[in-house]
């Protein structure tokens, strides 16, 4: 596998990617093999990586939106809805605490994903596949169909809706917690959509009635220590394509959001879940809620584990047409999107870089 020490003029991207995927060992397998240089297929352009370092003074200017959901069904609901509205309009994300998922479940979910990825490579190879929309799959970088930099990340992925896998398909080292966490985060997702609906001035069930959460997928990500973290990223800068992504992260850190033209660390808060607005929600809310650009840094000292749960219409091909919710459109706020498939909307937004 080509590394930074080799002549880049002789570099064959397709051959390196094929060799990597054929090995089925993932990034962790490379690290376990004694890798000391980042392979060329993982090296990102300087404009993506040169701003890794930030001054503490720049970050301290911002107070990240942290929303306490305690009392969401009684006297604090109105205040929480206001906080959700402000966070989604101004940031495109928020961290939620007291969300109803027990701390023991969160901790075991992180431990379960770590146990899977830290198994022997031969055990994981049986699940290596890119067909995560239909079954439980172990994979690394699902979008390597053109010469773009790979991310320093391995993933265990599976769908929940509309075709959940049989529980016996899950690896035994994390089977029970995966099933339990999947149920709990789906329940939380529906509650979040109620809050989002009310934050938009709509009936609480409006987004749910749009079948906005009919397609759900999960990804348990593992970011191994990297010998040259300044050259690559655990996840490239991107916008999520779905409606909403709920992220559970360990205490290592690395998630950053792009806000007011700078990258800001989302410092892990014990017991919190990060909720990120996706481009699909931006479309149906007529830009009331904006999609959030974010990325993940890696480090040379320790591995990082996160769990992403996406509520999305876009991972499965669909001819269904979408446009802004009619209640959010008026003469003063005309529709910013014509009726089109969500795939077309997302392509448009990515083209104009939101």
């Amino acid at each position: 596998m080509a590394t930074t020490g080799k002549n880049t003029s002789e570099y064959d991207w397709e051959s390196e990617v094929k060799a990597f995927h054929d090995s089925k060992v993932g990034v962790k397998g490379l690290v376990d093999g004694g890798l000391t240089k980042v392979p060329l297929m993982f090296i990102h352009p300087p404009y993506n990586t040169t701003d890794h370092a930030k001054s503490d003074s720049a970050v301290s200017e911002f107070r990240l939106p942290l929303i306490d959901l305690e009392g969401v069904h009684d006297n604090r609901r109105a205040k929480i809805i206001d906080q959700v509205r402000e966070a989604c309009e101004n940031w495109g994300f928020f961290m939620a605490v007291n969300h109803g998922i027990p701390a023991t479940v969160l901790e075991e979910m992180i431990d379960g994903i770590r146990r899977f990825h830290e198994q022997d490579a031969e055990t994981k190879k049986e699940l290596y596949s890119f067909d995560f929309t239909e079954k439980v799959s172990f994979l690394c970088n699902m979008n390597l169909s053109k010469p773009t930099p790979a991310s320093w990340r391995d993933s265990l992925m599976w769908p929940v809706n509309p075709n959940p896998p049989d529980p016996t398909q899950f690896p035994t080292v994390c089977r029970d917690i995966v099933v339990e966490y999947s149920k709990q985060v789906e329940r939380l997702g529906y509650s979040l959509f109620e809050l989002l609906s009310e934050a938009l001035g709509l009936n609480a069930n409006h987004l749910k009635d749009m079948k906005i959460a009919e397609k759900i997928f999960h990804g348990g990500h593992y970011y191994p220590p990297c010998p040259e973290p300044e050259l690559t990223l655990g996840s490239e800068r991107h916008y999520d394509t779905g409606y909403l992504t709920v992220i559970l992260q360990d205490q290592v850190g690395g998630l950053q959001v792009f806000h007011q033209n700078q990258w800001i660390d989302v410092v892990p808060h014990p017991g919190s879940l990060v909720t990120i607005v996706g481009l699909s929600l931006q479309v149906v809310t007529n830009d009331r809620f904006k999609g959030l650009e974010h990325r993940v840094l890696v480090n040379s000292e320790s591995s990082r584990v996160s769990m992403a749960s996406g509520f999305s219409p876009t991972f499965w091909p669909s001819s269904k047409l979408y446009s802004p919710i009619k209640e959010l459109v008026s003469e003063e706020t005309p529709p910013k999107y014509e009726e089109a498939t969500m795939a077309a909307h997302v392509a448009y937004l990515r083209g104009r870089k939101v």
Side-chain angles (χ1 to χ4, degrees), residues 212-225:
I212 205 166
E214 63 183 343
K215 296 173 181 176
I216 307 172
F217 70 94
H218 297 285
H221 304 305
Y222 185 90
Y223 307 81

Side-chain angles (χ1 to χ4, degrees), residues 36-50:
T36 59
K37 295 285 186 180
V38 172
L40 288 174
M41 63 179 281
F42 290 94
I43 295 178
H44 288 244
Y47 64 81
N48 274 342
T49 57
T50 52

Side-chain angles (χ1 to χ4, degrees), residues 94-258:
F94 59 88
M95 294 183 289
V97 294
N98 293 320
H99 39 66
I101 301 181
T104 52
V105 173
L106 302 180
E107 293 166 2
E108 177 58 17
M109 187 70 253
I110 290 293
D111 290 344
I113 294 301
R114 186 179 296 279
R115 286 195 300 270
F116 169 79
H117 286 288
E118 293 183 351
Q119 292 182 107
D120 180 83
E122 292 300 317
T123 304
K124 295 183 290 186
K125 283 183 179 180
E126 300 175 5
L127 291 174
Y128 201 89
S129 169
F130 293 96
D131 190 19
F132 68 90
T133 63
E134 297 294 335
K135 60 183 181 181
V136 181
S137 301
F138 166 56
L139 68 155
C140 176
N141 288 272
M142 54 190 161
N143 293 323
L144 290 184
S145 58
K146 57 183 179 180
T148 55
S151 295
W152 196 261
R153 178 189 73 240
D154 295 331
S155 302
L156 177 68
M157 301 191 70
W158 66 94
V160 173
N161 286 341
N163 301 308
D166 187 281
T168 59
Q169 291 185 26
F170 293 108
T172 55
V173 293
C174 59
R175 179 178 299 158
D176 291 344
I177 189 58
V178 158
V179 172
E180 177 62 22
Y181 183 82
S182 296
K183 292 178 181 177
Q184 296 224 21
V185 81
E186 181 177 4
R187 188 181 308 120
L188 172 63
Y190 286 119
S191 296
L192 291 174
F193 281 122
E194 290 180 358
L195 292 175
L196 291 166
S197 293
E198 293 185 64
L200 291 164
L202 305 171
N203 178 279
N205 293 321
H206 195 106
L207 291 174
K208 290 195 298 182
D209 290 344
M210 291 173 58
K211 307 298 183 183
I212 205 166
E214 63 183 343
K215 296 173 181 176
I216 307 172
F217 70 94
H218 297 285
H221 304 305
Y222 185 90
Y223 307 81
C226 180
E228 299 174 299
E230 71 280 1
L231 297 180
T232 189
L233 290 167
S235 182
E236 65 179 347
R237 55 189 302 169
H238 69 286
Y239 296 88
D240 291 343
T241 59
Y243 291 110
L244 207 65
T245 305
V246 177
I247 298 174
L248 167 65
Q249 58 175 339
D250 64 13
Q251 299 301 300
V252 173
L255 176 63
Q256 292 186 324
V257 298
F258 196 64

